[in-house]
Amino acid sequence: MSSNEKIDKAYSHNGSDVESNNAFHSGEAGQGLHRQLKNRHIAMISIGGVIGTGLFLGTANALRHGGPVGMVLGYMTVGTVCWATMISLGEMVAYLPIGGGHIKLAERFVDPAFSFAMGWNYWYNWTIILPAELSAAAVLINYWDSNTQLNYAWITICLLVVVAINMCGAGVYGEAEFIFASIKVLTITGLIILGIVIDLGGGPNHDRLGFRYWKNPGPFVQYDGISGATGRFLGWWAVISQAAFSFIGTEIVAIAAGEAKNPRRNLPKAIKRVYVRILLFYIGGTFVIGLLVPSNDPDLNLDSGTAASSPFVIAIQNAGISGLPSLINACLLTSAWSAASSDLYTSSRALYGLAISGNAPRFLMRTSKKGLPYICLLICASFSLLAFMGVSSGAGTVFGWFSNMTSMAGLLTWFGINLTYIRFHKGLKVQGFDRSRLPYIAPLQPYAAWYALFMTMLFCVFSGFSVFLKGEWDTATFVTNYLPLAGFPLLYIGAKFVYRQPIVKARDMDFVSNIAEIEAEDYDEPPPKNKLEAFWQWLM
């Protein structure tokens, strides 16, 4: 029987495959995750769900290290890798939108040990990034109140809001994220437009900047005072880790797939919009920042512990605009809340997926009647207490530590996604499956996946290069950069020893299980009643 015939057979009944998927979705209490995330939720989560401090604050270090051109090139480089990774992920999750996302897919198309390593690395990634965002929220509030001793209170308040949103379930999280992400999208769009106006002399001081800062202090920064092309290259490379931190999280739509309504129609639409986020928000945003603020501005230093380090705030103040920096700072604070809420949601679902797959204790499978994995959520929330380190060490410094660890873990996740897709693509080919039948067909495959696989590993190996320069050794930077890189192979080898299962052969890959239920949940969206509804459906 050909693979296509197997798929057709799976569509025609709801037997063992449905039971398999129900077993996966069911929690210990027999409830399991519920599909509560609507099309607009998924759309906004994919576009603006993780636009946060990496773009609004982290670009300060990127500009300081790479210069305006080095920063844009760094973000463009990581952006191409992000796009290649997302189209690879999109093809898989659009076909198999199951709980656990790419973690569960790795078990099918690579082996259980690889799924184990990916799952725990992913949980670690999103558990660590949560205190990073809370630390960043404290940095933002310090813009108004320089008394950092009150950071205990600010972190606690932000944490309570984040936990409350997530405890109300996926539906409430989706609504909150839709509102928060909408604010972020409007904010970054408004800042880009405002930045262009300021650059052309439209600010109160009527100072036309043009490309002034590309000439002086220059388009690139000589990293650590190293002269010549070597210094400029290292300046560009220093942007890579920060850019990776900004982009990490686009794969959240895969984790949300298990709770998405009409996933085979909504997920491809979300994946196709990734390029909008990359081009408009990140490339456009960093380009405008490089026009507005010189790379040698002394305020471009997160160690100062104030949101005045944000390049957007610096540019607005330099233009002589009063009052607006506080408004922008308030929008950035909602951004940090939004990102932290997404972090807690994703880490709890990753831990739940680990439990369902047998890679974590079974008590973590318990869910409420409304499909909330409350035990996983509370455990993940407890790790957010690491954010209180920022009170004694400086919120900006702690933000830097956590962003290093998150960048590395996120890049390893991208590596795993691309490796899984390469295996997925080979399995389709060996089993004679017609890719044109897939709900979403990624372009340039499998070459895009191979490109992203190589680049993510290159980023990982050389991410902490700065500590190896003469006189620049820093133990905290070394550990936070390379701890995840060392941990991932150890997790895989350990799991390989326990599971003792070979890598899944292409001819034995499972492209059938769960298809019946997924197909049953597919439905046509109601046609728009007027032009406004038609525009909304196109936008979302």
Side-chain angles (χ1 to χ4, degrees):
M1 182 183 293
S2 69
S3 183
N4 290 346
E5 289 172 338
K6 291 178 183 178
I7 298 298
D8 292 336
K9 184 177 180 180
Y11 287 166
S12 66
H13 68 85
N14 56 359
S16 60
D17 297 336
V18 178
E19 293 172 3
S20 173
N21 197 48
N22 286 340
F24 176 77
H25 280 283
S26 295
E28 191 72 19
Q31 302 297 328
L33 302 180
H34 296 176
R35 295 193 181 275
Q36 303 178 46
L37 297 177
K38 301 177 182 178
N39 178 28
R40 58 188 177 88
H41 297 156
I42 295 294
M44 199 55 72
I45 287 171
S46 67
I47 295 176
V50 286
I51 293 176
T53 51
L55 178 59
F56 293 123
L57 280 179
T59 44
N61 282 336
L63 180 59
R64 185 162 60 98
H65 290 148
V69 176
M71 177 175 62
V72 172
L73 291 178
Y75 272 78
M76 286 179 65
T77 303
V78 179
T80 60
V81 177
C82 175
W83 177 79
T85 301
M86 285 303 295
I87 61 173
S88 300
L89 177 63
E91 186 171 309
M92 293 188 293
V93 298
Y95 175 65
L96 284 170
I98 57 178
H102 49 280
I103 299 171
K104 192 68 177 176
L105 294 174
E107 181 181 349
R108 284 195 182 192
F109 305 121
V110 185
D111 68 356
F114 194 71
S115 175
F116 177 91
M118 276 193 68
W120 282 108
N121 174 76
Y122 198 64
W123 173 79
Y124 162 86
N125 178 15
W126 288 97
T127 302
I128 288 297
I129 198 175
L130 175 56
E133 296 291 358
L134 293 174
S135 295
V139 173
L140 291 164
I141 295 175
N142 290 158
Y143 177 78
W144 295 305
D145 186 355
S146 59
N147 182 8
T148 57
Q149 294 301 314
L150 292 177
N151 281 355
Y152 283 115
W154 308 139
I155 291 173
T156 301
I157 292 171
C158 292
L159 176 60
L160 290 176
V161 171
V162 167
V163 173
I165 290 173
N166 277 268
M167 287 298 290
C168 292
V172 173
Y173 160 75
E175 290 293 344
E177 195 55 37
F178 179 81
I179 296 172
F180 280 142
S182 298
I183 294 173
K184 287 191 290 185
V185 169
L186 291 174
T187 300
I188 187 60
T189 303
L191 286 174
I192 290 173
I193 295 172
L194 177 61
I196 295 172
V197 172
I198 292 175
D199 182 68
L200 296 177
N205 59 5
H206 301 293
D207 183 12
R208 184 183 176 89
L209 299 175
F211 288 84
R212 177 187 305 172
Y213 300 130
W214 286 40
K215 300 176 182 179
N216 183 25
F220 294 93
V221 170
Q222 302 297 144
Y223 187 83
D224 199 35
I226 299 172
S227 61
T230 302
R232 292 191 293 272
F233 172 81
L234 293 178
W236 163 74
W237 191 261
V239 177
I240 295 296
S241 292
Q242 178 56 54
F245 175 75
S246 299
F247 281 108
I248 295 301
T250 48
E251 72 287 338
I252 190 176
V253 292
I255 291 295
E259 296 177 273
K261 293 184 177 181
N262 204 9
R264 284 202 158 181
R265 294 180 180 272
N266 293 335
L267 291 176
K269 292 168 70 174
I271 295 295
K272 292 176 182 177
R273 291 186 176 91
V274 169
Y275 76 93
V276 175
R277 176 185 173 191
I278 295 173
L279 291 177
L280 176 62
F281 301 141
Y282 287 108
I283 307 304
T286 53
F287 176 78
V288 170
I289 286 171
L291 298 176
L292 299 177
V293 182
S295 58
N296 59 359
D297 192 304
D299 289 331
L300 291 173
N301 185 2
L302 287 180
D303 292 339
S304 63
T306 166
S309 302
S310 170
F312 290 111
V313 174
I314 294 172
I316 292 170
Q317 290 177 331
N318 291 344
I321 302 175
S322 59
L324 190 55
S326 290
L327 176 61
I328 298 301
N329 199 62
C331 293
L332 301 191
L333 184 58
T334 65
S335 165
W337 262 332
S338 169
S341 180
S342 291
D343 300 340
L344 183 56
Y345 170 83
T346 308
S347 62
S348 63
R349 269 47 175 193
L351 187 58
Y352 178 80
L354 282 165
I356 291 294
S357 300
N359 294 326
R362 288 185 59 84
F363 75 89
L364 297 174
M365 296 167 56
R366 291 187 178 276
T367 59
S368 68
K369 293 181 179 180
K370 295 183 178 180
L372 177 70
Y374 58 92
I375 297 179
C376 293
L377 196 149
L378 292 174
I379 289 175
C380 293
S382 66
F383 282 87
S384 63
L385 300 178
L386 292 170
F388 290 107
M389 292 168 58
V391 178
S392 58
S393 300
T397 303
V398 173
F399 173 72
W401 293 344
F402 285 135
S403 65
N404 286 341
M405 292 189 285
T406 299
S407 299
M408 180 62 72
L411 287 171
L412 288 170
T413 294
W414 287 5
F415 173 85
I417 289 171
N418 286 289
L419 180 60
T420 303
Y421 177 81
I422 291 170
R423 298 284 300 153
F424 171 83
H425 188 276
K426 184 177 181 180
L428 292 176
K429 186 176 182 180
V430 169
Q431 296 189 25
F433 187 88
D434 184 5
R435 284 184 68 225
S436 64
R437 302 189 63 200
L438 296 176
Y440 170 68
I441 306 168
L444 304 177
Q445 294 294 11
Y447 310 107
W450 277 108
Y451 163 74
L453 185 79
F454 172 77
M455 292 299 290
T456 50
M457 187 48 58
L458 194 67
F459 293 162
C460 288
V461 172
F462 294 103
S463 66
F465 78 94
S466 62
V467 300
F468 299 108
L469 299 176
K470 186 177 180 180
E472 294 296 325
W473 176 262
D474 183 76
T475 302
T477 301
F478 176 81
V479 171
T480 54
N481 269 281
Y482 290 111
L483 180 63
L485 183 61
F488 192 91
L490 290 176
L491 285 171
Y492 179 72
I493 294 171
K496 197 73 174 175
F497 178 78
V498 173
Y499 287 114
R500 297 182 181 275
Q501 294 186 24
I503 294 176
V504 180
K505 295 180 180 180
R507 65 173 182 269
D508 298 328
M509 290 179 184
D510 181 9
F511 292 98
V512 177
S513 295
N514 311 116
I515 293 296
E517 181 176 299
I518 293 169
E519 182 72 5
E521 292 173 342
D522 190 19
Y523 57 88
D524 292 328
E525 300 284 350
K529 299 178 181 178
N530 49 55
K531 291 184 178 180
L532 181 61
E533 286 190 5
F535 173 76
W536 181 256
Q537 284 192 7
W538 171 83
L539 184 64
M540 291 292 110

